[in-house]
Amino acid sequence: GLCNMGKINNAFEVMHRMIQNGCIPDCKIYTELIAGLCRDKKVDDAKRLLIKMSERGCLPSIVTYGILVHGFGKNGRVDEACQILEEMMLAGKTPNAVIFNSLLDVLCKTGRSQDAQELLLLMREVSCAPDVVTYSILIDTSCKENRLDEAWCLLREMINIGCVPNVVTYTTLIHGMCRQDDIDGAFQVLKVMSERGCMPNVVTYSTVIDGLFKAGRDGKAVELLVEMVEK
RNA sequence: CGAAAAUAAAUU
Protein backbone atom coordinates (compact mmCIF):
# COMPACT_ATOMS: atom_id res chain seq x y z
CA GLY A 1 0.00 0.00 0.00
CA LEU A 2 2.72 2.46 0.90
CA CYS A 3 4.61 1.62 -2.29
CA ASN A 4 1.50 2.25 -4.34
CA MET A 5 1.16 5.64 -2.67
CA GLY A 6 4.74 6.42 -3.64
CA LYS A 7 5.88 6.27 -0.04
CA ILE A 8 8.73 3.83 -0.47
CA ASN A 9 10.67 5.16 2.47
CA ASN A 10 7.76 4.49 4.79
CA ALA A 11 7.46 1.00 3.35
CA PHE A 12 11.10 0.36 4.21
CA GLU A 13 10.50 1.73 7.70
CA VAL A 14 7.72 -0.78 8.18
CA MET A 15 9.97 -3.58 7.00
CA HIS A 16 12.71 -2.58 9.41
CA ARG A 17 10.23 -2.33 12.23
CA MET A 18 8.87 -5.77 11.52
CA ILE A 19 12.39 -7.19 11.55
CA GLN A 20 13.01 -5.54 14.94
CA ASN A 21 9.87 -7.18 16.20
CA GLY A 22 11.13 -10.57 15.15
CA CYS A 23 8.94 -10.87 12.10
CA ILE A 24 10.82 -12.05 9.03
CA PRO A 25 9.87 -10.44 5.70
CA ASP A 26 9.13 -13.01 3.03
CA CYS A 27 9.79 -13.02 -0.71
CA LYS A 28 6.56 -11.18 -1.45
CA ILE A 29 7.46 -8.28 0.78
CA TYR A 30 10.87 -7.91 -0.85
CA THR A 31 9.22 -8.21 -4.23
CA GLU A 32 6.82 -5.38 -3.42
CA LEU A 33 9.68 -3.18 -2.27
CA ILE A 34 11.62 -3.96 -5.44
CA ALA A 35 8.56 -3.04 -7.47
CA GLY A 36 8.24 0.21 -5.54
CA LEU A 37 11.87 1.07 -6.17
CA CYS A 38 11.53 0.33 -9.88
CA ARG A 39 8.45 2.50 -10.02
CA ASP A 40 10.58 5.29 -8.58
CA LYS A 41 13.21 4.55 -11.24
CA LYS A 42 15.63 3.46 -8.55
CA VAL A 43 16.61 0.31 -10.40
CA ASP A 44 20.09 0.12 -8.94
CA ASP A 45 18.63 0.07 -5.45
CA ALA A 46 16.16 -2.53 -6.65
CA LYS A 47 18.97 -4.71 -7.95
CA ARG A 48 20.82 -4.36 -4.64
CA LEU A 49 17.71 -5.40 -2.76
CA LEU A 50 17.40 -8.48 -4.97
CA ILE A 51 20.90 -9.49 -3.91
CA LYS A 52 20.15 -8.68 -0.30
CA MET A 53 16.99 -10.76 -0.17
CA SER A 54 18.90 -13.75 -1.53
CA GLU A 55 21.54 -13.26 1.15
CA ARG A 56 18.80 -13.19 3.74
CA GLY A 57 17.55 -16.52 2.50
CA CYS A 58 14.62 -15.28 0.45
CA LEU A 59 14.77 -16.57 -3.08
CA PRO A 60 13.53 -14.08 -5.67
CA SER A 61 10.53 -15.45 -7.51
CA ILE A 62 9.91 -15.34 -11.21
CA VAL A 63 7.82 -12.23 -10.58
CA THR A 64 10.67 -10.54 -8.70
CA TYR A 65 12.94 -11.06 -11.70
CA GLY A 66 10.21 -9.92 -14.04
CA ILE A 67 9.82 -6.65 -12.21
CA LEU A 68 13.54 -6.00 -12.44
CA VAL A 69 13.76 -6.88 -16.12
CA HIS A 70 10.93 -4.49 -16.79
CA GLY A 71 12.43 -1.84 -14.52
CA PHE A 72 15.77 -1.82 -16.31
CA GLY A 73 14.15 -2.02 -19.72
CA LYS A 74 11.78 0.87 -19.14
CA ASN A 75 14.64 2.99 -17.86
CA GLY A 76 16.58 2.55 -21.07
CA ARG A 77 19.02 0.08 -19.59
CA VAL A 78 18.31 -2.71 -21.99
CA ASP A 79 21.58 -4.59 -21.65
CA GLU A 80 21.14 -4.80 -17.91
CA ALA A 81 17.59 -6.03 -18.42
CA CYS A 82 19.00 -8.83 -20.61
CA GLN A 83 21.54 -9.52 -17.92
CA ILE A 84 18.82 -10.05 -15.32
CA LEU A 85 17.26 -12.59 -17.65
CA GLU A 86 20.55 -14.46 -17.80
CA GLU A 87 20.97 -14.28 -14.06
CA MET A 88 17.57 -15.74 -13.39
CA MET A 89 18.27 -18.61 -15.74
CA LEU A 90 21.58 -19.22 -14.00
CA ALA A 91 19.63 -19.25 -10.76
CA GLY A 92 17.57 -22.07 -12.22
CA LYS A 93 14.41 -20.09 -12.97
CA THR A 94 12.87 -20.38 -16.41
CA PRO A 95 11.48 -17.04 -17.60
CA ASN A 96 7.80 -17.03 -18.44
CA ALA A 97 5.93 -15.25 -21.22
CA VAL A 98 5.49 -12.07 -19.18
CA ILE A 99 9.24 -11.68 -18.84
CA PHE A 100 9.99 -12.56 -22.45
CA ASN A 101 7.32 -10.15 -23.60
CA SER A 102 8.60 -7.36 -21.43
CA LEU A 103 12.10 -7.72 -22.83
CA LEU A 104 10.90 -8.32 -26.37
CA ASP A 105 8.99 -5.06 -26.25
CA VAL A 106 11.99 -2.93 -25.28
CA LEU A 107 14.23 -4.69 -27.79
CA CYS A 108 11.71 -3.98 -30.54
CA LYS A 109 11.08 -0.41 -29.46
CA THR A 110 14.80 0.34 -29.41
CA GLY A 111 15.29 -1.10 -32.88
CA ARG A 112 17.29 -4.10 -31.75
CA SER A 113 15.58 -6.53 -34.06
CA GLN A 114 18.50 -8.96 -34.16
CA ASP A 115 18.38 -9.33 -30.38
CA ALA A 116 14.61 -9.59 -30.54
CA GLN A 117 14.86 -12.50 -32.96
CA GLU A 118 17.36 -14.23 -30.73
CA LEU A 119 15.08 -13.76 -27.77
CA LEU A 120 12.24 -15.39 -29.67
CA LEU A 121 14.52 -18.33 -30.38
CA LEU A 122 15.41 -18.60 -26.71
CA MET A 123 11.72 -18.52 -25.91
CA ARG A 124 11.22 -21.54 -28.16
CA GLU A 125 14.21 -23.31 -26.66
CA VAL A 126 12.75 -23.12 -23.18
CA SER A 127 9.32 -24.12 -24.50
CA CYS A 128 7.68 -20.86 -23.58
CA ALA A 129 4.74 -20.40 -25.93
CA PRO A 130 4.18 -16.95 -27.42
CA ASP A 131 0.87 -15.49 -26.29
CA VAL A 132 -1.43 -12.71 -27.40
CA VAL A 133 0.90 -10.11 -25.87
CA THR A 134 3.92 -11.50 -27.75
CA TYR A 135 2.05 -11.27 -31.03
CA SER A 136 0.69 -7.82 -30.28
CA ILE A 137 4.23 -6.58 -29.66
CA LEU A 138 5.45 -8.10 -32.93
CA ILE A 139 2.49 -6.74 -34.86
CA ASP A 140 3.02 -3.29 -33.37
CA THR A 141 6.68 -3.40 -34.37
CA SER A 142 5.87 -4.44 -37.94
CA CYS A 143 3.30 -1.66 -38.18
CA LYS A 144 5.58 1.03 -36.80
CA GLU A 145 8.31 -0.07 -39.20
CA ASN A 146 5.81 0.18 -42.05
CA ARG A 147 5.61 -3.53 -42.77
CA LEU A 148 1.86 -3.97 -42.79
CA ASP A 149 2.04 -7.15 -44.83
CA GLU A 150 4.17 -8.71 -42.14
CA ALA A 151 1.71 -7.55 -39.49
CA TRP A 152 -1.10 -9.31 -41.30
CA CYS A 153 1.01 -12.48 -41.58
CA LEU A 154 1.54 -12.41 -37.85
CA LEU A 155 -2.18 -12.01 -37.24
CA ARG A 156 -2.89 -15.01 -39.42
CA GLU A 157 -0.13 -16.98 -37.75
CA MET A 158 -1.41 -16.35 -34.25
CA ILE A 159 -4.92 -17.33 -35.19
CA ASN A 160 -3.56 -20.49 -36.83
CA ILE A 161 -1.84 -21.58 -33.65
CA GLY A 162 -4.94 -20.90 -31.61
CA CYS A 163 -3.89 -17.64 -30.04
CA VAL A 164 -6.89 -15.32 -30.02
CA PRO A 165 -6.28 -11.67 -30.91
CA ASN A 166 -7.76 -9.25 -28.40
CA VAL A 167 -8.74 -5.60 -28.42
CA VAL A 168 -5.11 -4.49 -28.11
CA THR A 169 -4.04 -6.61 -31.08
CA TYR A 170 -6.78 -5.21 -33.29
CA THR A 171 -6.25 -1.65 -32.12
CA THR A 172 -2.56 -1.99 -32.92
CA LEU A 173 -3.42 -3.04 -36.47
CA ILE A 174 -5.96 -0.27 -36.83
CA HIS A 175 -3.33 2.24 -35.78
CA GLY A 176 -0.90 0.79 -38.32
CA MET A 177 -3.44 1.15 -41.09
CA CYS A 178 -4.28 4.72 -40.13
CA ARG A 179 -0.59 5.55 -40.26
CA GLN A 180 -0.55 4.27 -43.84
CA ASP A 181 -3.54 6.53 -44.55
CA ASP A 182 -5.66 3.44 -45.07
CA ILE A 183 -8.65 4.67 -43.10
CA ASP A 184 -11.05 2.46 -45.00
CA GLY A 185 -8.96 -0.56 -44.10
CA ALA A 186 -8.99 0.58 -40.48
CA PHE A 187 -12.78 0.70 -40.61
CA GLN A 188 -12.81 -2.82 -42.01
CA VAL A 189 -10.79 -4.06 -39.04
CA LEU A 190 -13.08 -2.18 -36.69
CA LYS A 191 -16.01 -4.03 -38.22
CA VAL A 192 -14.31 -7.42 -38.31
CA MET A 193 -13.20 -7.33 -34.69
CA SER A 194 -16.74 -6.73 -33.49
CA GLU A 195 -17.97 -9.56 -35.70
CA ARG A 196 -15.42 -11.80 -34.02
CA GLY A 197 -16.77 -10.84 -30.64
CA CYS A 198 -14.01 -8.43 -29.71
CA MET A 199 -15.54 -5.10 -28.71
CA PRO A 200 -13.62 -1.91 -29.49
CA ASN A 201 -12.78 0.17 -26.44
CA VAL A 202 -12.01 3.84 -25.91
CA VAL A 203 -8.46 3.43 -27.23
CA THR A 204 -9.72 1.71 -30.38
CA TYR A 205 -12.16 4.51 -31.07
CA SER A 206 -9.71 7.29 -30.33
CA THR A 207 -7.22 5.64 -32.69
CA VAL A 208 -9.70 5.68 -35.56
CA ILE A 209 -11.02 9.13 -34.68
CA ASP A 210 -7.48 10.49 -34.63
CA GLY A 211 -6.82 8.87 -38.00
CA LEU A 212 -9.95 10.44 -39.44
CA PHE A 213 -9.06 13.92 -38.24
CA LYS A 214 -5.54 13.60 -39.59
CA ALA A 215 -6.98 12.56 -42.94
CA GLY A 216 -9.17 15.66 -42.88
CA ARG A 217 -12.38 13.67 -42.57
CA ASP A 218 -13.70 15.69 -39.66
CA GLY A 219 -17.33 14.87 -40.29
CA LYS A 220 -16.75 11.16 -40.16
CA ALA A 221 -14.65 11.60 -37.03
CA VAL A 222 -17.44 13.34 -35.18
CA GLU A 223 -19.86 10.71 -36.41
CA LEU A 224 -17.71 7.97 -34.90
CA LEU A 225 -17.35 9.91 -31.67
CA VAL A 226 -21.12 10.01 -31.38
CA GLU A 227 -21.35 6.30 -32.15
CA MET A 228 -18.80 5.56 -29.47
CA VAL A 229 -20.70 7.53 -26.84
CA GLU A 230 -23.97 5.88 -27.84
CA LYS A 231 -22.49 2.42 -27.53
C1' C B 1 -1.31 -22.02 2.29
C1' G B 2 -2.57 -18.09 -1.18
C1' A B 3 -3.10 -15.38 -9.31
C1' A B 4 -2.12 -10.63 -3.59
C1' A B 5 1.94 -8.96 -7.16
C1' A B 6 5.30 -8.08 -13.09
C1' U B 7 4.47 -7.52 -19.84
C1' A B 8 1.57 -5.14 -25.34
C1' A B 9 -2.28 -0.55 -28.37
C1' A B 10 -4.38 5.76 -29.32
C1' U B 11 -3.97 11.14 -27.89
C1' U B 12 -0.69 14.32 -24.78
Side-chain angles (χ1 to χ4, degrees):
Chain A
L2 289 166
C3 286
N4 288 338
M5 291 162 66
K7 302 191 170 188
I8 303 281
N9 292 339
N10 294 338
F12 272 100
E13 257 174 51
V14 172
M15 184 187 69
H16 288 129
R17 203 184 305 161
M18 69 184 278
I19 292 174
Q20 278 165 15
N21 292 338
C23 193
I24 311 296
D26 64 3
C27 167
K28 290 172 183 122
I29 290 185
Y30 283 110
T31 301
E32 284 306 335
L33 288 167
I34 287 171
L37 288 168
C38 285
R39 226 191 51 157
D40 272 19
K41 306 186 186 300
K42 295 173 179 164
V43 282
D44 292 303
D45 291 336
K47 175 87 197 276
R48 274 191 281 274
L49 190 56
L50 180 101
I51 293 165
K52 203 175 227 173
M53 72 187 277
S54 315
E55 287 169 358
R56 289 179 183 167
C58 269
L59 287 187
S61 72
I62 199 159
V63 174
T64 322
Y65 283 110
I67 289 165
L68 259 184
V69 168
H70 187 239
F72 274 108
K74 275 285 183 282
N75 282 285
R77 294 167 63 170
V78 187
D79 291 319
E80 285 154 293
C82 296
Q83 209 179 305
I84 303 285
L85 186 88
E86 283 177 25
E87 283 174 25
M88 74 175 289
M89 292 179 71
L90 286 174
K93 303 264 186 209
T94 306
N96 62 12
V98 172
I99 297 177
F100 278 115
N101 291 340
S102 171
L103 201 47
L104 180 67
D105 188 53
V106 317
L107 289 175
C108 288
K109 285 190 167 63
T110 52
R112 291 171 59 162
S113 44
Q114 186 63 46
D115 293 329
Q117 288 305 320
E118 279 171 25
L119 191 71
L120 287 170
L121 285 178
L122 179 62
M123 204 171 168
R124 283 185 71 101
E125 273 171 34
V126 301
S127 312
C128 179
D131 62 10
V132 59
V133 175
T134 318
Y135 275 102
S136 298
I137 291 165
L138 294 175
I139 288 172
D140 189 45
T141 305
S142 301
C143 285
K144 295 211 164 105
E145 293 175 358
N146 301 315
R147 295 189 304 269
L148 267 285
D149 44 335
E150 191 179 277
W152 283 105
C153 275
L154 286 161
L155 186 80
R156 233 178 298 123
E157 179 183 312
M158 71 185 286
I159 292 170
N160 281 342
I161 65 166
C163 183
V164 182
N166 64 17
V167 62
V168 175
T169 323
Y170 285 118
T171 304
T172 302
L173 262 172
I174 287 174
H175 184 224
M177 308 197 68
C178 288
R179 279 170 41 100
Q180 304 287 318
D181 299 316
D182 186 2
I183 306 288
D184 296 319
F187 262 100
Q188 279 300 314
V189 178
L190 188 67
K191 204 176 115 190
V192 165
M193 67 185 282
S194 311
E195 285 167 2
R196 294 181 186 167
C198 180
M199 293 327 259
N201 64 18
V202 62
V203 178
T204 318
Y205 276 107
S206 48
T207 302
V208 183
I209 290 169
D210 183 59
L212 285 165
F213 273 120
K214 282 179 176 153
R217 293 166 64 174
D218 297 22
K220 190 76 183 164
V222 174
E223 210 175 280
L224 198 61
L225 181 71
V226 171
E227 179 193 310
M228 164 182 139
V229 174
E230 279 171 354
K231 283 191 177 169

